[in-house]
Amino acid sequence: MPTFDYAPAPESPSIVDIQPSYGLFIGGEMVEPVDGTRFKTVNPATEEVLSEVVAAGPEDVDRAVAAARAAYDGAWSRLSGRDRGKYLYRLARIVQERSRELAVLESIDNGKPIRESRDVDVPLVAAHFFYYAGWADKLAYAGFGADPRPLGVAAQVIPWNFPLLMLAWKIAPALACGNTVVLKPAETTPLTALAFADICRQADLPPGVVNIVTGAGETGRTLVEHRGVDKVAFTGSTEVGRQIARSVAGTRKKVTLELGGKAANVVFDDAPLDQAVEGIVNGIFFNQGHVCCAGSRLLVQESVADELLAGLKRRLTTLRLGDPLDKNTDIGAINSAEQLDKIRMLSEIGETEGAERWSPPCELPERGFWFPPTVFTGVSQSHRIAREEIFGPVLSVLTFRTPTEAVEKANNTPYGLSAGVWTEKGSRILWMAQRLRAGVVWANTFNRFDPTSPFGGYKESGYGREGGRHGLEAYLDV
Ligand code: NAD
Ligand code: MG
């Protein structure tokens, strides 16, 4: 039962200019593929075809790597850090200037609410470029030696959940350190990366410093296995991460992997419960739960479990699901039919294994890919919905009695990307943070990102850090 109705407030799609088909961005120009084919990309909220993009073939990838190598050996490596920084500042400012267009395009291509692409994704993209622009002429003071050298050509493969933000996380530190890149966006979300290609052109970035090749897994595999790349950076599933780790073993390539997660969001009995409810909602329903660090396991202290769950369910009935371009929308579309199938399958297994499933009354649009916010109670640690990454708007609730039990349950996962702690006690926050095996621990907040703060995982969540001073190391020969 929504608290009150809003009139629709849709952002206008007329600000974006989507071409009927795109080429590849190689050597500073949009070029036709040599051996690539074309495939359609759809709007997940409507299933309408948006455009046709290239699935780059081996020769296309080869050309992109050659262009990146030529730029690395040529203009880019002769620039001072200060001049590289100027380009990065320019990219950051153009992202800001074109922020509305980029936000609308991201929502159309990905299905995420405009409120999020406008207020979270795109501002963080600009912040990332600004932040690493600042490092470009200060690498000697970053703690990696007096004159740290770049690696060369970076092959970067990114997922569909934060398309432009993941691009920024990859490209900004690579360029700041003096590398050149070939980036492959995910097959379902190529459009903002292609818009970024236009931004590179607009910024007069030297040709070949950034190359964008679209395509699916096969293009990604060809790129990371290419002998001409010096560095591989991947964000995506643990399964593909494993394949990549195997394929680069025994080569000179330096590699960073940002993989999945199954984060615990731990609520103690002394936590401000209303605030915790907001944090839980943000933790798992932000971006339809398509977040590697999502708080997908709620661990709540038994004595406050009933009260917290009642508050959470009340709050969930007020969430608005629907048109991603509507400024009132909280929950947008699931990114693809494939991902929707996976969420449905794991949710059905949750029921079969005996957990209790609940969703607020919520009407799903007829076309497009949709899944209602869902809460499972009565979940035990052995249930698949407590162990596997669902990557959707699905929360599994478990309880605990003591802090020690909370730590044991939180760490009982093959992943280790993030965690949340809700308590009024500062000492308990520190006690928990020391024991949680997670790259990021949020206290009385969740899903907060900042370019100055390193991000990355333990165990099967991957290795290496992105963001902050730590994020420079992945792109330097140290
Ligand atoms: P994926 O790992 O298959 O895809 C991520 C990227 O890797 C895409 O660009 C894809 O084209 C590319 N890719 C696929 N196979 C490749 C290969 N063999 N070599 C090189 N690149 C390859 O992820 P997905 O299939 O889109 O999603 C599956 C699951 O992965 C999700 O359900 C979720 O659990 C997880 N996931 C995690 C993240 C994250 O941010 N950590 C992001 C997306 C997906
Ligand atoms: Mg896949």
Side-chain angles (χ1 to χ4, degrees):
M1 170 207 47
T3 35
F4 50 89
D5 283 329
Y6 281 113
E11 176 63 274
S12 169
S14 66
I15 191 170
V16 302
D17 179 20
I18 301 175
Q19 294 163 32
S21 84
Y22 289 89
L24 302 165
F25 186 62
I26 296 176
E29 286 174 59
M30 291 303 292
V31 299
E32 287 300 301
V34 177
D35 59 346
T37 52
R38 279 204 158 80
F39 66 100
K40 294 181 169 60
T41 182
V42 303
N43 178 336
T46 61
E47 297 175 60
E48 278 161 8
V49 173
L50 293 169
S51 184
E52 279 194 359
V53 296
V54 176
E59 279 191 50
D60 296 317
V61 169
D62 201 45
R63 275 200 306 163
V65 172
R69 174 65 57 195
Y72 181 74
D73 292 338
W76 197 240
S77 65
R78 283 196 288 274
L79 283 187
S80 65
R82 188 155 179 269
D83 285 335
R84 287 199 309 274
K86 283 186 194 166
Y87 282 108
L88 287 161
Y89 280 119
R90 212 182 274 174
L91 291 170
R93 281 194 299 268
I94 300 173
V95 166
Q96 284 186 318
E97 279 162 20
R98 295 176 61 170
S99 62
R100 186 157 165 227
E101 171 200 344
L102 293 171
V104 171
L105 190 59
E106 194 77 309
S107 282
I108 290 175
D109 202 21
N110 168 281
K112 63 175 70 201
I114 186 72
R115 197 164 55 78
E116 293 178 5
S117 46
R118 181 196 63 198
D119 297 348
V120 182
D121 296 54
V122 176
L124 279 173
V125 170
H128 236 80
F129 279 102
F130 276 120
Y131 175 73
Y132 280 108
W135 270 118
D137 64 348
K138 301 174 196 71
L139 296 175
Y141 310 100
F144 304 112
D147 185 22
R149 306 305 304 158
L151 293 164
V153 175
Q156 307 181 316
V157 176
I158 58 172
W160 42 263
N161 53 341
F162 292 92
L164 196 59
L165 183 57
M166 289 303 106
L167 174 150
W169 281 28
K170 296 283 179 284
I171 292 183
L175 266 48
C177 293
N179 304 274
T180 58
V181 310
V182 180
L183 176 129
K184 191 199 82 65
E187 50 269 47
T188 56
T189 53
L191 297 184
T192 45
L194 292 165
F196 186 79
D198 190 52
I199 290 174
C200 293
R201 203 193 37 74
Q202 200 182 338
D204 270 328
L205 195 67
V209 171
V210 169
N211 304 275
I212 311 260
V213 292
T214 51
E218 193 49 32
T219 304
R221 199 179 56 76
T222 310
L223 175 59
V224 302
E225 290 180 3
H226 196 286
R227 298 168 69 108
V229 308
D230 305 292
K231 150 85 192 174
V232 172
F234 172 77
T235 299
S237 62
T238 296
E239 183 197 343
V240 173
R242 276 201 196 100
Q243 283 176 37
I244 291 176
R246 274 197 292 271
S247 86
V248 301
T251 70
R252 70 173 188 287
K253 296 173 193 173
K254 191 164 172 173
V255 60
T256 41
L257 301 172
E258 300 282 348
L259 310 175
K262 191 73 189 176
N265 206 355
V266 185
V267 180
F268 286 96
D269 59 4
D270 64 340
L273 292 189
D274 289 345
Q275 213 176 304
V277 164
E278 292 308 311
I280 295 161
V281 170
N282 181 41
I284 185 64
F285 301 114
F286 171 65
N287 201 33
Q288 295 73 245
H290 299 329
V291 184
C292 47
C293 53
S296 52
R297 289 183 298 149
L298 171 62
L299 298 186
V300 53
Q301 196 152 15
E302 211 173 80
S303 50
V304 292
D306 290 345
E307 189 187 344
L308 184 81
L309 278 171
L312 178 65
K313 288 180 176 178
R314 208 178 315 120
R315 178 69 178 89
L316 292 181
T317 60
T318 68
L319 293 182
R320 291 177 168 79
L321 176 147
D323 182 5
L325 286 186
D326 191 316
K327 293 167 197 156
N328 298 319
T329 293
D330 300 300
I331 311 242
I334 299 302
N335 180 250
S336 65
E338 195 188 357
Q339 188 62 26
L340 181 57
D341 284 344
K342 184 182 167 190
I343 298 168
R344 283 186 177 146
M345 186 264 292
L346 280 165
S347 298
E348 273 154 32
I349 289 171
E351 276 183 287
T352 316
E353 290 188 333
E356 193 181 323
R357 179 176 181 165
W358 180 90
S359 288
C362 150
E363 219 174 285
L364 303 183
E366 262 167 40
R367 309 242 18 219
F369 315 129
W370 305 93
F371 198 85
T374 299
V375 176
F376 278 100
T377 49
V379 178
S380 78
Q381 294 188 84
S382 60
H383 285 165
R384 278 182 70 184
I385 54 170
R387 309 200 61 78
E388 292 178 32
E389 187 176 42
I390 301 174
F391 226 62
V394 181
L395 178 68
S396 297
V397 184
L398 298 95
T399 58
F400 69 88
R401 289 185 182 168
T402 64
T404 307
E405 189 188 345
V407 170
E408 276 169 14
K409 285 187 167 168
N411 287 341
N412 183 11
T413 166
Y415 294 111
L417 195 54
S418 66
V421 181
W422 297 81
T423 172
E424 210 153 57
K425 263 195 182 149
S427 59
R428 182 171 283 160
I429 292 170
L430 297 174
W431 190 89
M432 289 292 289
Q434 277 173 343
R435 287 163 179 79
L436 291 168
R437 295 288 291 163
V440 179
V441 179
W442 284 293
N444 296 325
T445 187
F446 209 92
N447 272 344
R448 277 217 170 235
F449 305 97
D450 191 292
T452 65
S453 173
F455 183 90
Y458 285 98
K459 301 191 280 188
E460 290 183 20
S461 290
Y463 39 82
R465 292 292 178 267
E466 292 187 307
R469 184 188 67 81
H470 300 73
L472 296 166
E473 188 175 352
Y475 290 96
L476 291 171
D477 186 14
V478 288

